[in-house]
């Protein structure tokens, strides 16, 4: 899932650290352990102490999933080797601490791409499996764990197990938020590509119904599809959006100058967001102005634009520490999914967010395909909406509690990798395999070696 941390050195590989999620809310103090070998990782698990430990990657879980108040946090980014690449068969074996960014650097020149990427490439393979991340291609490719052929898992008893799909331990680990053990390595099936560019179609949708109709009618034509949605627009414009869809550009779609090095992986980097920003910078007025400009500048319809992979998938990665733009109070990212046939629930929720005037300029709507096997995996067939909201917005907690209840009432769920405040009594309604997860975890880890702030809050 590196952390927003405030640490001081302790002893060999240990820091005393204040740890937060990417949303920078609810910081807690823990002992940070940075193993560099599998043996050190096993020793760290044995030495977690009474408050247990939780593995952590690059700190991009938005909430408290990779925090452990008073206990240990295992920073797995020191285990970052790419062990083997099958350039003919399209697989890679790597450590769990390898980032998707590093995989792209290594794999793209060979004509391969990661099978699933979220909105940032700065997540580790272990974090991608633990959160069972999804991307713009879920309607085609499913979530990340669907492409994992095998993984090695360090469990609470110190044993290392080879875990394969179709087994209970794999299904508990995929989306299990690090609570079944420490992922050490993974073998991943890759996506073949002819270039490092994307062919992108962009169009505007006038309102939410227009947007949903366009997505439902045309998603099957594209590998990747996502819509930015204006959640401050009201009236007839409620849910207006900019729809972006694309696929990996084939070699014959490139101009001659780009065919000379079609698989080059290029990224852009802008100045970092300041460490301290004035409070109240993101108001309804400023975000409303941004949303209006963003919508108006988008083309009504444009096809075949060539974009770098980094621009299409990860535009915010070009601004290091962009999460600081929300100020000291941080932000909540709220993501939920409701099933197909529950479009009225989606309309009601979007209308409520719009009427409440939540100042969100990072809001996206996507369609999910088939469910994934992980017992706590988030995606189910349906509509998923994600939005960022300043944490200090008055009455935000009560408002999101109401949305949780509405989502749960129609069989939907919230995404645990982004959650920072869900009430535990709603969890079972959202995740029907919760009891199976708890039972396997109790059998595998009877003394509670693996634990996190998220696990304590939700009684996982």
């Amino acid at each position: 899932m590196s952390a927003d941390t405030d640490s001081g050195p302790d002893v060999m590989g240990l820091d005393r650290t204040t740890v937060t999620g990417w949303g920078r809310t609810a910081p807690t103090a823990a002992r940070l352990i940075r193993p560099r070998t599998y043996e050190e990782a096993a020793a760290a698990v044995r030495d977690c102490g009474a408050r247990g430990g939780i593995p952590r990657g690059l700190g991009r879980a938005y909430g408290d999933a990779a925090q452990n108040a008073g206990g240990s946090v295992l920073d797995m980014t020191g285990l970052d080797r790419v062990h083997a690449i099958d350039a003919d068969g399209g697989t890679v074996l790597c450590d769990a601490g390898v980032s998707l960014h590093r995989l792209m650097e290594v794999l793209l020149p060979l004509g391969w791409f990661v099978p699933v990427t979220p909105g940032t490439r700065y997540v580790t393979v272990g974090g991608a499996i633990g959160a069972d991340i999804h991307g713009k291609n879920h309607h085609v490719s499913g979530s990340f764990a669907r492409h994992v052929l095998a993984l090695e898992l360090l469990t609470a008893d110190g044993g290392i197990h080879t875990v394969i799909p179709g087994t209970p331990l794999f299904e508990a680990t995929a989306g299990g938020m690090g609570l079944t053990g420490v992922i050490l390595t993974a073998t991943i099936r890759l996506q073949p590509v002819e270039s490092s560019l994307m062919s992108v179609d962009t169009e505007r949708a006038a309102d939410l119904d227009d947007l949903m109709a366009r997505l439902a009618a045309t998603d099957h034509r594209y590998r990747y599809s996502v819509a930015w949605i204006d959640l401050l627009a009201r009236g007839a414009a409620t849910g207006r959006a900019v729809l972006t869809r694309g696929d990996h550009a084939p070699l014959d779609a490139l101009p001659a100058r780009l065919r000379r090095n079609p698989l080059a992986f290029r990224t852009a980097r802008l100045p970092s967001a300041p460490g301290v920003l004035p409070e109240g910078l993101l108001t309804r007025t400023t975000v409303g102005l941004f949303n209006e400009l963003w919508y108006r500048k988008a083309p009504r319809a444009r096809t075949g634009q060539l974009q770098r992979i980094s621009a299409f998938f990860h535009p915010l990665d070009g601004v290091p520490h962009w999460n600081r733009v929300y100020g000291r109070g941080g932000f909540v990212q709220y993501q939920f999914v409701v099933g197909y046939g529950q479009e009225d629930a989606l309309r009601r929720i979007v209308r409520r967010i719009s009427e409440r005037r939540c100042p969100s300029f990072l809001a996206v709507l996507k369609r999910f395909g088939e469910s994934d096997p992980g017992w706590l995996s988030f995606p189910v067939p349906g509509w998923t909406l994600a939005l960022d909201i300043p944490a200090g917005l008055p009455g935000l907690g009560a408002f999101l509690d109401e949305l949780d209840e509405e989502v749960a009432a129609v069989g939907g769920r919230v995404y645990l990798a982004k959650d920072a405040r869900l009430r535990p009594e709603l969890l079972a309604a959202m995740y029907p395999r919760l009891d199976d997860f708890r039972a396997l975890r109790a059998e595998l880890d009877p003394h509670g070696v693996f634990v996190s702030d998220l696990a304590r809050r939700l009684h996982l």
Side-chain angles (χ1 to χ4, degrees):
M1 288 172 215
S2 159
D4 273 28
T5 60
D6 180 13
S7 61
D10 189 17
V11 295
M12 296 187 57
L14 305 181
D15 287 342
R16 300 292 180 179
T17 307
T18 299
V19 182
T20 74
W22 191 247
R24 307 178 79 202
T25 59
T28 55
R31 181 178 60 155
L32 193 68
I33 306 174
R34 297 185 176 95
R36 302 292 177 180
T37 66
Y38 305 147
E39 292 77 16
E40 287 184 6
V45 169
R46 292 193 299 269
D47 190 36
C48 278
R51 293 283 287 180
I54 192 71
R56 181 183 179 97
L58 285 166
R60 294 304 180 101
Y62 285 77
D64 53 4
Q67 301 174 211
N68 182 22
S72 299
V73 171
L74 280 62
D75 179 347
M76 298 302 296
T77 56
L79 291 170
D80 60 354
R81 290 169 294 174
V82 177
H83 294 283
I85 300 170
D86 181 350
D88 296 321
T91 63
V92 61
L93 168 63
C94 63
D95 283 343
V98 173
S99 70
L100 298 192
H101 174 84
R102 178 60 180 153
L103 285 184
M104 292 176 197
E105 286 183 324
V106 171
L107 296 171
L108 267 169
L110 302 176
W112 297 99
F113 189 61
V114 294
V116 172
T117 177
T120 174
R121 60 187 179 273
Y122 295 113
V123 297
T124 61
V125 167
I129 298 169
D132 201 11
I133 60 170
H134 58 272
K136 299 175 182 179
N137 60 339
H138 190 276
H139 62 291
V140 173
S141 302
S143 62
F144 193 88
R146 194 182 295 184
H147 305 271
V148 175
L149 303 176
L151 59 87
E152 289 184 299
L153 186 72
L154 171 65
T155 52
D157 61 2
I160 297 176
H161 307 267
T162 298
V163 186
I164 60 173
T167 61
L169 186 51
F170 187 93
E171 292 171 357
T173 301
M177 307 311 299
L179 296 171
T180 61
V182 179
I183 299 170
L184 298 176
T185 70
T187 302
I188 304 160
R189 183 176 54 246
L190 304 170
Q191 168 69 34
V193 296
E194 295 183 19
S195 79
S196 61
L197 294 167
M198 305 296 297
S199 177
V200 181
D201 295 352
T202 305
E203 61 189 79
R204 291 189 212 165
D207 56 35
L208 183 60
D209 284 339
D210 182 29
L211 172 60
M212 289 194 293
R214 291 171 187 257
L215 284 167
T218 62
D219 255 9
H220 65 280
R221 302 177 193 166
Y222 298 89
R223 179 172 294 276
Y224 303 99
S225 180
V226 68
W228 170 86
I229 184 169
D230 182 359
L231 292 176
L232 283 176
R234 291 187 289 181
T238 299
R240 68 179 181 176
V242 178
L243 178 56
T244 307
R245 294 166 293 191
D247 209 334
H248 298 279
L251 193 61
D252 60 13
L254 305 187
R257 63 184 178 82
L258 294 176
R259 292 185 196 179
R260 290 191 290 271
N261 193 11
L263 292 166
F265 179 46
R266 302 180 181 91
T267 62
R269 192 170 178 87
L270 300 174
S272 175
V276 178
L277 288 167
E279 295 298 325
L281 185 65
L282 296 180
T283 66
R284 293 182 178 94
T285 300
T286 58
V287 174
L289 178 60
F290 171 88
N291 286 3
E292 181 69 27
L293 292 173
W294 191 260
Y295 181 77
R296 295 296 175 190
K297 84 174 187 65
R300 293 186 182 275
R302 179 176 60 199
T303 60
Q305 182 191 26
L306 293 177
Q307 292 184 9
R308 292 179 181 176
I309 274 176
S310 57
F312 180 76
F313 289 108
H314 314 120
L316 288 175
D317 282 349
V319 185
H321 303 293
W322 64 262
N323 57 337
R324 295 175 181 171
V325 75
Y326 291 88
R328 294 185 185 278
F331 69 99
V332 171
Q333 179 156 113
Y334 185 66
Q335 183 169 6
F336 67 90
V337 58
V338 295
Y340 295 127
Q342 298 296 338
E343 286 76 13
D344 283 346
L346 177 62
R347 292 184 185 97
R348 286 194 304 271
I349 292 171
V350 168
R351 193 178 309 116
R352 290 186 65 179
I353 295 170
S354 174
E355 290 172 350
R356 184 120 183 352
R357 309 291 287 155
C358 292
S360 176
F361 66 91
L362 295 175
V364 296
L365 183 73
K366 293 181 288 197
R367 282 164 49 93
F368 281 157
E370 295 180 7
S371 297
D372 296 293
W375 292 343
L376 297 186
S377 291
F378 170 64
V380 294
W383 304 90
T384 181
L385 177 66
L387 60 149
D388 291 351
I389 314 172
L393 192 69
L396 179 62
F399 177 65
L400 293 182
D401 284 347
E402 294 172 3
L403 296 189
D404 290 341
E405 292 172 1
E406 188 156 3
V407 168
V410 297
R413 58 183 58 167
V414 300
Y415 191 15
L416 297 184
K418 295 183 177 180
D419 178 56
R421 25 76 38 211
L422 179 67
R423 302 198 315 272
E425 58 267 25
L426 292 177
L427 195 63
M430 294 181 172
Y431 289 90
R433 300 298 301 271
L434 178 62
D435 285 345
D436 293 326
F437 178 82
R438 286 171 169 162
L440 185 141
R441 186 172 174 235
E443 178 183 348
L444 193 67
D445 184 9
H447 303 295
V449 171
F450 296 111
V451 66
S452 64
D453 292 352
L454 174 83
R456 290 191 185 95
R457 176 168 56 83
L458 294 179
H459 310 311
L460 292 172

